Amino acid sequence: MSGGPLEGVRVVDLTSVVVGPICSRTLADQGAEVIKVEAPGGGDLLRTMAQGSRNPGMSGKFIQFNRNKRSFCVDIKNPEGLDALLALIRTADVFVSNIRPNALDRAGLGWESLRAINPRLVHCSILAFGRGGPYFNRPAYDPIIQSLSGVAGTFHRASGEPRFVPMVMTDHITGLIAAQCIGFALFRRERSGVGEAIEVPMFENMASFVMSEHLGAGTFDPPVGPLGDGRLLSPDYRPVPTQDGFITIGPNTNAQAFAFFDAIDRPELKTDPRFLNAAARTANAAEYLKVRAAAMRERTTAEWLAILGAADVPAAAYNSLEDLLEDPHLAATGFFAPEDHPSEGRIRRTATPNRFSGGMRQDALPAPRLGESSRAVLRELGVAEDAIDRMIAAGIVTTPEEPA
């Protein structure tokens, strides 16, 4: 195998914005053929809602989330367009969507409808909220889930003010979980020969993410203490100032902590009851973090990195977004891959960081223009050229050169 572990897997991708495209990008990066189905009139909202673009419909964020995909722009509200989509699904291994379940069912694209035409199909529905609860079928985006799931609440505990992580973190995490679930289902299909339905709810997955970390003492019934990891929720759990910038340190084991105390010329702390072991340091996290912060102010970041590196204490410089572009490790590993995009010119995009010894995808595809592969997909389905021309003229199908 030389094309990635999912080489030969066809994915019909009826997703938009972030959570679904992250899922399908993950599959595409590992060799799957992903056909992104978009609606005429603009396609994926992320094409235009995100800041930063050279040409309309090709925002930088869209480019990052939609590499290695083809775009099939078709009006599935039109019966002929829906027939074309169903013909495509008959050839697919995976169908993934982040459309609300009731709307998906009304469109004839729910699990029961699609399994009738393709019993081997893995049908993945990314939901805001799982079935059975009062929130089911409500609309939601990342900040709604961050608010409900306790993510914003962890900031409230730490800083006194509820805030969102300044990334669409719940979309990223849920999208990755959805890709993982699809991989599991494909593995089972190899054994059973039949597909299955997967539902991946954002809220429940993020509540699990938060509470696996912070349920803690509430694991026990009755609780043996307050909820929340006090170390992680401390206002001092953050990069700390040095003489000329910031540094982050993470001495957790006894060997690391004691080496750290020696490095800051505080060897007496190795016998301090508050810091004798990991349990004591966790129980006295506020004091431990204050010791670390006070010491770091005494030298520059570079000096501390040299001292702590020699002592094998985990430590790192603080990177701003701009610093990341110049990070020497990312440069050495080729993380920011230069690309000559056919319509957008010279760009940089993030590379696939994971490696498989059995082979990686070789035919990297640029993020597609809206409807870039519409004509090719219909040809592959056996639709006659005059019929394709008629569908384009009627606005049922869109290509870049022939907008609806």
Side-chain angles (χ1 to χ4, degrees):
M1 180 181 293
S2 61
L6 294 181
E7 182 180 20
V9 171
R10 171 172 276 190
V11 178
V12 174
D13 174 19
L14 195 64
T15 72
S16 61
V17 192
V18 176
V19 63
I22 284 291
C23 169
S24 56
R25 185 189 77 178
T26 303
L27 303 175
D29 285 348
Q30 302 309 329
E33 178 198 9
V34 173
I35 300 175
K36 183 178 180 70
V37 179
E38 301 185 75
D44 188 335
L45 185 62
L46 200 62
R47 286 183 177 275
T48 53
M49 74 175 288
Q51 294 174 320
S53 64
R54 286 177 179 155
N55 294 299
M58 291 297 289
S59 73
K61 205 165 185 177
F62 176 86
I63 289 171
Q64 295 297 333
F65 293 163
N66 290 281
R67 63 179 180 236
N68 289 327
K69 302 177 188 179
R70 305 166 74 194
S71 173
F72 177 34
C73 186
V74 59
D75 181 5
I76 64 172
K77 294 179 180 178
N78 180 287
E80 195 171 1
L82 179 60
D83 285 345
L85 176 59
L86 293 175
L88 180 62
I89 291 170
R90 287 187 182 93
T91 72
D93 299 283
V94 177
F95 173 82
V96 58
S97 101
N98 61 342
I99 296 173
R100 281 190 273 173
N102 289 359
L104 202 65
D105 288 339
R106 286 196 302 271
L109 298 172
W111 164 239
E112 294 300 332
S113 297
L114 296 189
R115 73 189 296 192
I117 64 170
N118 185 350
R120 287 177 52 82
L121 187 71
V122 171
H123 184 290
C124 180
S125 185
I126 303 173
L127 320 175
F129 308 102
R131 294 180 186 272
Y135 305 158
F136 177 68
N137 213 53
R138 286 188 188 178
Y141 289 109
D142 179 87
I144 304 299
I145 303 300
Q146 286 204 40
S147 185
L148 270 175
S149 66
V151 173
T154 63
F155 281 95
H156 200 172
R157 285 276 295 273
S159 67
E161 179 183 17
R163 289 186 59 83
F164 302 130
V165 176
M167 303 189 313
V168 285
M169 185 184 73
T170 69
D171 278 20
H172 278 265
I173 291 169
T174 309
L176 292 172
I177 291 170
Q180 178 188 61
C181 290
I182 289 168
F184 295 157
L186 287 171
F187 179 77
R188 178 150 62 189
R189 192 191 69 175
E190 290 305 298
R191 293 178 165 182
S192 69
V194 296
E196 63 182 288
I198 308 167
E199 292 188 344
V200 182
M202 295 175 68
F203 177 42
E204 287 92 326
N205 272 295
M206 285 310 304
S208 173
F209 192 87
V210 171
M211 293 306 278
S212 295
E213 195 78 59
H214 289 294
L215 189 55
T219 300
F220 306 96
D221 189 11
V224 297
L227 300 188
D229 184 323
R231 177 178 60 94
L232 303 180
L233 295 171
S234 167
D236 294 315
Y237 185 72
R238 56 181 176 168
V240 296
T242 63
Q243 283 186 351
D244 64 346
F246 294 89
I247 192 171
T248 296
I249 52 176
N252 285 331
T253 67
N254 277 358
Q256 292 166 350
F258 295 165
F260 171 70
F261 293 144
D262 286 335
I264 65 173
D265 295 325
R266 296 289 304 275
E268 75 278 6
L269 296 179
K270 293 188 287 187
T271 57
D272 189 314
R274 298 172 300 169
F275 309 132
L276 277 176
N277 52 48
R281 291 190 294 274
T282 299
N284 297 282
E287 292 89 342
Y288 187 37
L289 291 170
K290 282 179 170 39
V291 166
R292 289 156 55 170
M296 293 300 100
R297 295 190 184 94
E298 301 301 315
R299 297 178 185 269
T300 67
T301 299
E303 288 172 332
W304 278 125
L305 288 174
I307 291 168
L308 296 173
D312 203 29
V313 174
Y318 157 82
N319 273 344
S320 68
L321 296 178
E322 292 74 18
D323 292 335
L324 276 174
L325 295 177
E326 307 299 330
D327 185 275
H329 180 86
L330 294 181
T333 59
F335 179 78
F336 290 109
E339 179 181 295
D340 290 312
H341 192 283
S343 67
E344 306 310 302
R346 189 71 166 176
I347 65 169
R348 67 162 68 90
R349 62 170 177 80
T350 59
T352 306
N354 309 305
R355 296 288 179 266
F356 289 76
S357 64
M360 297 289 294
R361 180 172 190 142
Q362 301 299 313
D363 61 330
L365 302 178
R369 293 171 296 160
L370 180 63
E372 186 174 286
S373 296
S374 296
R375 190 178 283 275
V377 168
L378 291 172
R379 285 172 179 157
E380 291 163 14
L381 294 173
V383 180
E385 204 69 28
D386 60 344
I388 296 174
D389 290 337
R390 181 179 49 75
M391 292 174 74
I392 292 171
I396 299 169
V397 170
T398 302
T399 72
E401 297 76 23
E402 301 152 306

